[in-house]
Amino acid sequence: MQKKSKYIHLWKTRFFILTKNYLFAFTGIENDADCTMALKLSTINEIEQVESQKQTKKAFVIRCEAINYFLRGENSVADKWFNELTKILDKRKNK
């Protein structure tokens, strides 16, 4: 998956890990990879698909209290992430 940078607005490849309470993004899969994002899932207000400039990729935005995160990936990969995050948000809203 790719994450859009906050300041330069370039798409950068990141490796994501989803835990019970967080979504983490790393620069690589090595042991010394830098964590570039630690998003607490309870801060997510909304997740919605957005238009992607590339036909082979799908994009979505994670809207949080303080910031929005734009992610994109190959169609099937992006769909899986979007669906999983939407399920988590729906469960939290239904409590």
Side-chain angles (χ1 to χ4, degrees):
M1 292 278 293
Q2 293 179 314
K3 179 180 165 290
K4 196 173 199 180
S5 63
K6 288 187 259 185
Y7 304 109
I8 304 172
H9 302 289
L10 296 175
W11 290 99
K12 298 196 175 194
T13 299
R14 296 291 180 249
F15 297 88
F16 292 88
I17 296 175
L18 181 61
T19 67
K20 183 178 178 182
N21 296 311
Y22 284 90
L23 175 63
F24 295 101
F26 294 91
T27 56
I29 56 174
E30 304 83 19
N31 288 338
D32 61 347
D34 291 328
C35 181
T36 63
M37 180 180 82
L39 171 59
K40 191 169 186 176
L41 297 177
S42 63
T43 66
I44 297 174
N45 294 328
E46 179 183 34
I47 302 168
E48 70 176 313
Q49 292 186 340
V50 293
E51 191 173 323
S52 178
Q53 294 176 350
K54 295 193 174 203
Q55 289 183 340
T56 59
K57 297 187 185 241
K58 285 190 176 178
F60 59 93
V61 59
I62 301 172
R63 299 189 192 282
C64 299
E65 297 164 358
I67 191 168
N68 295 328
Y69 297 96
F70 290 86
L71 306 178
R72 76 177 181 189
E74 299 300 322
N75 290 336
S76 61
V77 173
D79 281 341
K80 288 178 184 178
W81 279 102
F82 178 81
N83 291 336
E84 195 60 36
L85 291 167
T86 300
K87 280 188 226 174
I88 291 168
L89 182 61
D90 288 346
K91 281 182 187 177
R92 198 179 83 227
K93 286 182 177 180
N94 291 329
K95 283 187 176 182

